[in-house]
Amino acid sequence: AAKSIAIESLGQFSIDDGFKKVSNFILRDLTKDLAEQRCFVLDGESGATINTLQRSADFVLAPNVDAAATKALQAKCVTASSISFTALVVARHAKVQFGCVYLDYMWPSDYFESTQRELTKYLAKNNKNRKSGPSDRFSACKEYADASLTDGIHDVELLVLD
């Protein structure tokens, strides 16, 4: 049944699709008997993964940059308005360990850094051809290209490297 649900949902991803539901149940079953019950979860406003894990709210840390999601998750877990990397750095500094880590990114783990590289190339190429000063759009793109962004791959490095 799980295989047919997963196959049925491929190509039609949503926060609450069949594949996500099956994944959440597998995650719950794989981690329910671990000695360390604390979880680090990236979850959306509905808290689908958090609900399925069936942990006490004090045992789940779920950061989110979306204010509405952070507010909605407050009753289900410990949450903070933060990117995952920052929350992991703080947890590491406090020597918090997690028995379960679920990094449910909705983009490739190098998305921001790769788009930043491409945008930087594009801006360099097109800046040479500009006859007037930068437009608002160009300035906004430049701000994104110059921003200090961290991608999911750095979350994983933080979790596994000493």
Side-chain angles (χ1 to χ4, degrees), residues 11-39:
Q12 299 173 349
F13 178 80
S14 70
I15 298 298
D16 198 27
D17 68 5
F19 183 79
K20 170 81 171 171
K21 289 177 185 177
V22 170
S23 298
N24 287 342
F25 284 111
I26 291 169
L27 183 65
R28 182 196 64 200
D29 291 347
L30 286 173
T31 63
K32 68 181 177 184
D33 295 324
L34 292 176
E36 178 55 73
Q37 287 291 299
R38 284 181 284 201
C39 300

